[in-house]
Amino acid sequence: MTTHREVERLVTAVDLARDAALLVEVVELRARNEQLGRALVTRAVIDQARGMVMALAPCSSERAWDLLVGVSQHCNIKLRDVAAALVATTDDETLPVEIRRELSRALRRLHAADQG
């Protein structure tokens, strides 16, 4: 037969397990929330850079995306960093040489494709 004390220990163990599970869930949700917040900020910067490319080229949103991705890949720099560098030029920041060169090449290729 189970004693009252054993029942109390089992209830306490169940409560602790439930509390631990809730704590894990809260930690995971907070981490996901932070990640989504960073993604929203990053996405806004990428969209701004995309708009800048669309104005420079001019080209469609999809072609601007492909161009930025290509610059990112050729420079081996994360897309969000390429986009941030491009957007920073609106605040009189200088575009890093590597990105500037690759962006110029990509814009020339895009222009040549439109001419051909």
Side-chain angles (χ1 to χ4, degrees):
M1 184 163 240
T2 306
T3 67
H4 179 68
R5 180 168 228 154
E6 290 172 330
V7 170
E8 285 179 346
R9 282 189 208 150
L10 287 172
V11 169
T12 301
V14 168
D15 287 343
L16 289 174
R18 189 175 352 178
D19 290 348
L22 286 173
L23 180 60
V24 167
E25 186 177 359
V26 166
V27 169
E28 289 172 353
L29 288 171
R30 284 184 178 170
R32 186 169 185 198
N33 190 35
E34 288 175 22
Q35 185 179 41
L36 289 171
R38 284 190 304 271
L40 283 174
V41 170
T42 298
R43 185 62 189 207
V45 172
I46 292 171
D47 285 345
Q48 289 171 358
R50 194 182 215 177
M52 292 173 72
V53 170
M54 290 168 64
L56 287 170
C59 63
S60 70
S61 177
E62 293 79 22
R63 289 184 87 179
W65 172 266
D66 292 341
L67 186 141
L68 287 170
V69 168
V71 169
S72 168
Q73 290 173 344
H74 280 95
C75 294
N76 196 26
I77 299 172
K78 291 184 184 221
L79 177 60
R80 68 175 178 254
D81 295 335
V82 169
L86 185 57
V87 170
T89 63
T90 64
D91 290 328
D92 295 326
E93 294 286 328
T94 303
L95 195 60
V97 174
E98 185 179 15
I99 295 173
R100 186 174 61 238
R101 276 193 205 128
E102 189 54 41
L103 181 61
S104 293
R105 288 180 192 133
L107 287 168
R108 281 195 302 273
R109 285 191 301 268
L110 183 63
H111 182 69
D114 285 343
Q115 298 301 314

